[in-house]
Amino acid sequence: MEIVAVPAFTDNYIWLVHDRESGETAVVDPGDAAPVLAEASRRGWTIGQVWNTHWHPDHTGGNVAIKQANGARVSGPAAENIPASDVALKEGDEVRLGRHVGRVMEVPGHTSGHIALVFDEDGVAFVGDTLFAMGCGRLFEGSPEQMYRSLQRLAALPGDTRLYCAHEYTLANARFAAHAEPENRAIADRLAEVAALRDAGQITLPTTVAQERETNPFVRSTNVEEFARRRAAKDSFGS
Ligand SMILES: [Zn+2]
C-alpha cells in the first residue's frame, strides 16, 4: 500500500492510497478535488474510491468532482451527511483496496459520527481530525467523554501503527504539549525535531501510536477530567 500526501488549503493533507498489486486507488478526505486529481493523473492512477472520516467541507468538498471525473464510489460515516455518498459506514464495517482491508472504528468527539479506518495487517490508520500528532481535534459536536474514549481506542492499537492525520498541526501541538508537560523529555525532544522539520518545509506525518503514547498530552491524560482540562487549555493557548 503506497500512501501519498497531497497538501491542500493552508494545512490539510489529503491522502492518496494506491495498491500496486490490483492497481486500485482510493483517496481519504478530499476537501479539494483539483490537487488530488492532478497528483493521481501525474502518477497514472484512477481514483476508484473516496473514503471520508467526517462531514466537514475541508474533508468532503472534492467528493462530487472526483466522483464525476473518475466514477469513484464514496464511503463515509453513516451518522453524517456526506456529499455524493454511496456507502454508509458503521463500526465494524470494512473498506477494501485490492486485498487490503480497513475496518471502521467509530471515534466521535470532533464530530458526532467521526470514523477512523484501521488497516490492521498494514499497520496503518486514517484518523481524520480525531487524533493529530501530539494533539487532538477540537470538540465541535462531541463530549470530552466521547473524545477521551476515542483517543484511548486509537492509542490501544499496536505501537508501530502509522497514524495518518488530516492536518499539519504538529508544531503548534508540540508547543502546547511542552507547556502541558514541562518535565516530559520525549515531548521536548520531539518539539525540537518537529521545529527543524517545519523549518525545512517538511511534513511531520505520519506519526505512530507509540510516539503518541509518549508525547501526546491528550492521549496521556489519565482520566476524562484531565483530558477536558487540557482540551480547554489548548483552545485558548496562543501558538
Ligand atoms: Zn474537521
Side-chain angles (χ1 to χ4, degrees):
M1 212 158 82
E2 190 175 345
I3 302 173
V4 174
V6 180
F9 309 119
T10 321
D11 49 35
N12 284 69
Y13 290 125
I14 300 168
W15 300 106
L16 264 179
V17 189
H18 181 72
D19 173 45
R20 288 188 204 93
E21 190 182 88
S22 64
E24 292 177 30
T25 304
V27 63
V28 183
D29 285 349
D32 192 3
V36 174
L37 290 170
E39 181 65 29
S41 142
R42 198 177 68 75
R43 291 169 179 270
W45 297 350
T46 302
I47 299 171
Q49 297 183 67
V50 172
W51 298 331
N52 293 128
T53 63
H54 66 296
W55 68 268
H56 283 163
D58 64 317
H59 296 251
T60 58
N63 281 14
V64 170
I66 292 170
K67 190 169 178 171
Q68 279 169 357
N70 285 1
R73 188 171 76 245
V74 177
S75 304
E80 299 191 350
N81 194 5
I82 301 296
S85 180
D86 297 302
V87 183
L89 299 172
K90 289 191 174 134
E91 175 80 29
D93 286 349
E94 288 174 351
V95 294
R96 282 169 188 270
L97 189 74
R99 34 182 203 83
H100 304 274
V101 179
R103 79 186 149 92
V104 174
M105 185 189 284
E106 291 177 355
V107 286
H110 177 68
T111 61
S112 59
H114 199 301
I115 58 170
L117 298 173
V118 181
F119 290 78
D120 294 291
E121 281 189 25
D122 298 282
V124 163
F126 297 99
V127 297
D129 287 357
T130 297
L131 187 152
F132 294 121
M134 307 185 82
C136 74
R138 284 178 185 257
L139 304 182
F140 286 122
E141 296 173 4
S143 66
E145 289 77 7
Q146 284 178 315
M147 188 56 130
Y148 181 69
R149 178 174 142 73
S150 295
L151 293 175
Q152 291 298 313
R153 287 190 76 190
L154 291 170
L157 291 169
D160 59 359
T161 306
R162 284 170 291 144
L163 302 174
Y164 290 82
C165 326
H167 289 273
E168 179 61 68
Y169 288 159
T170 316
L171 183 54
N173 288 341
R175 289 185 178 129
F176 174 76
H179 166 80
E181 295 191 40
E183 310 295 324
N184 184 323
R185 184 59 193 268
I187 287 177
D189 289 348
R190 195 173 179 193
L191 169 56
E193 284 166 25
V194 165
L197 282 170
R198 295 308 294 153
D199 276 348
Q202 304 274 310
I203 186 170
T204 63
L205 299 175
T207 182
T208 66
V209 166
Q211 278 183 298
E212 296 312 304
R213 287 184 199 142
E214 298 260 296
T215 63
N216 187 318
F218 302 102
V219 165
R220 295 170 55 76
S221 299
T222 49
N223 53 53
V224 177
E225 291 68 33
E226 185 178 38
F227 167 78
R229 216 165 34 240
R230 285 179 167 181
R231 186 57 260 181
K234 173 69 168 65
D235 287 343
S236 56
F237 186 76
S239 58

